[in-house]
Amino acid sequence: MNRSLVSRVVAGVSLAYLGARAIVLLANALTQPSLRAAAATATGTSRARASAGAGRGSSASPAPAERSGHASAPRVALLIPARDEEPTLRETLPGFLGQGADEVVVLDDESADATRAVAEAAGARVLRGAPRPEGWTGKNWACAQLAAAGEAPEPPRPDDVLVFTDADVRWNPGALDALLVTMRASRADLLTVFPRQETRTLGERLITPLNDAVVLGSVPMALQGRRAPVVANGQVMAFTRAAYARVGGHAAVSGELVEDMRLAERMRAAGGRVVTVRGGSAIGVRMYDGYRSSVRGFAKSLLGLHHGSRALMLATSLLTVCVYSLPWVLPFLPGAGESRATGRILRLVRFMGLLDRTVSNLIAGRRRPLDLAEGLLGPMSPLLVLPVYALAGRRSVAWKGRAYEA
């Protein structure tokens, strides 16, 4: 093995990759909106929600308490698919119900636990999910049913807002206000949120926060309306009803495991405006409770995020190992050492690799000492993610007790 040649290649690739990421991280830090619940709350929860209206061209409307008799006011529905979410909903439902939405609807997707009872006891409207048709994923079928349920009890309007949100997402007071104010200000047909990650154990910290690092450093969000890849997150997706219908709703992506990305792509292709924001102080999520659950959860979507290409998935894995891990391994390889210039570049990319995840956490609002210390995991992160790639490469994936062809 020619260690000197390997060192030059690794140094060049790593510097180019991390330099590009640094530019994208800076662009997103400066331009991507972040929801601020406190600011919205200060305007009055119901008043701010109503004035947000729904997307492009809407006008201010009275608050629900003030608008009795105003049949023209747009409605806002919070729609929550739930399968075996009994303990989760005990924690998150009060946050959903406190937002001042016209309706909070939970769909019990054939749960084996007390999901339905917990939701009913909390005061949400609960639907019993119908059996999943052939060719549908569980979540897409649940969301399609929720969208239909959001039409009642009043006739639907094009500017009604449908907010699909996962059961494990935590909505703080004023979060819906903040979302809808941002939706109107940005004229979004689809506004999607990346909630602030909540981690409680070491196992969760190992790879779960990489979700933010990947997104924030890969795509300049301000360019989504142009040529940049579109980015979306199914944990929180808010549509105007007209825009949702225009792209065919969840029925148009019935069998997709990454339905959020496919819906966002369809929205942009149809001329709609897709806006991606950070959850900030308004919306958070605890995605998984440990390393193993993180591996299973990410494996479900990884192949779809690579557009079904296992070759592209393998290339991504090798690239991250090259950039973040190999610069630390090279000094221990046999053979002649690198040149002085190459050595300086390798020292720089080691530092940049450590700083990369820390900066991502700062931008995402995760600023506690342990959050920032996650940057030290940089050299190990690609190796910790290898089990995700291994699971994602299989012909089928399992999630929530169901198996899907990959």
Side-chain angles (χ1 to χ4, degrees):
M1 175 187 296
N2 188 329
R3 174 179 157 186
S4 178
L5 175 60
V6 172
S7 296
R8 288 199 301 271
V9 171
V10 170
V13 170
S14 300
L15 185 61
Y17 181 85
L18 290 170
R21 276 187 57 85
I23 293 171
V24 175
L25 283 169
L26 177 61
N28 284 330
L30 295 175
T31 63
Q32 187 189 19
S34 180
L35 300 182
R36 288 178 170 82
T41 304
T43 68
T45 300
S46 295
R47 191 181 305 276
R49 183 189 65 73
S51 68
R56 190 174 300 171
S58 61
S59 58
S61 304
E66 301 169 339
R67 67 178 184 173
S68 55
H70 293 267
S72 62
R75 293 173 50 82
V76 179
L78 273 178
L79 307 174
I80 307 159
R83 178 175 170 85
D84 295 333
E85 298 285 4
E86 175 189 351
T88 302
L89 286 176
R90 291 186 190 279
E91 293 187 39
T92 60
L93 258 179
F96 294 136
L97 294 166
Q99 296 302 318
D102 291 280
E103 193 164 33
V104 177
V105 187
V106 176
L107 185 128
D108 177 20
D109 183 15
E110 300 183 307
S111 298
D113 63 6
T115 290
R116 181 182 181 88
V118 167
E120 287 178 336
R125 177 184 171 201
V126 183
L127 304 178
R128 187 182 299 277
R132 178 170 58 100
E134 184 73 22
W136 286 74
T137 68
K139 182 176 180 180
N140 289 335
W141 176 234
C143 287
Q145 295 174 83
L146 283 164
E151 298 180 1
E154 299 175 4
R157 288 170 40 103
D159 55 351
D160 287 350
V161 180
L162 303 177
V163 185
F164 298 91
T165 182
D166 288 353
D168 57 1
V169 177
R170 301 172 190 278
W171 289 61
N172 295 319
L176 186 58
D177 292 353
L179 182 150
L180 291 170
V181 168
T182 302
M183 193 173 185
R184 174 172 179 168
S186 62
R187 307 190 317 274
D189 296 289
L190 163 58
L191 186 138
T192 180
V193 181
F194 279 83
R196 181 179 293 174
Q197 297 287 337
E198 299 176 7
T199 50
R200 303 178 189 176
T201 66
L202 174 61
E204 293 169 74
R205 291 184 181 277
L206 294 179
I207 63 172
T208 302
L210 290 174
N211 189 56
D212 289 334
V214 169
V215 172
L216 288 171
S218 300
V219 180
M221 302 302 172
L223 300 182
Q224 282 198 111
R226 299 174 176 85
R227 295 183 180 273
V230 70
V231 175
N233 181 16
Q235 292 171 329
V236 181
M237 299 186 77
F239 299 83
T240 62
R241 181 175 288 280
Y244 182 77
R246 189 162 63 247
V247 299
H250 283 83
V253 294
S254 58
E256 294 283 353
L257 287 170
V258 287
E259 80 293 336
D260 44 7
M261 298 287 284
R262 303 292 92 89
L263 280 169
E265 290 165 356
R266 291 178 65 88
M267 184 67 71
R268 191 170 71 174
R273 183 172 176 81
V274 179
V275 175
T276 304
V277 302
R278 302 191 299 273
S281 62
I283 300 178
V285 66
R286 187 187 183 197
M287 292 178 65
Y288 307 114
D289 60 6
Y291 176 68
R292 290 184 178 180
S293 58
S294 298
V295 167
R296 292 193 300 270
F298 286 130
K300 167 178 63 72
S301 304
L302 191 62
L303 185 60
L305 292 173
H306 288 81
H307 297 278
S309 172
R310 288 176 171 81
L312 180 58
M313 196 166 64
L314 176 62
T316 301
S317 177
L318 293 176
L319 176 62
T320 56
V321 170
C322 173
V323 170
Y324 294 97
S325 302
L326 279 185
W328 297 87
V329 174
L330 286 173
F332 302 99
L333 295 180
E338 61 274 348
S339 68
R340 184 175 299 178
T342 301
R344 285 197 295 266
I345 294 175
L346 286 174
R347 287 191 292 274
L348 175 61
V349 298
R350 289 185 197 116
F351 174 74
M352 292 175 69
L354 291 175
L355 195 60
D356 184 283
R357 186 162 168 183
T358 298
V359 171
S360 298
N361 284 356
L362 281 170
I363 296 172
R366 301 180 65 246
R367 298 169 182 171
R368 296 175 301 174
L370 282 177
D371 298 332
L372 301 182
E374 288 173 3
L376 299 174
L377 294 170
M380 295 180 289
S381 293
L383 307 179
L384 292 168
V385 175
L386 287 179
V388 179
Y389 283 93
L391 278 180
R394 296 180 177 180
R395 293 298 176 185
S396 65
V397 296
W399 187 247
K400 295 281 187 179
R402 292 166 171 158
Y404 302 104
E405 290 299 317

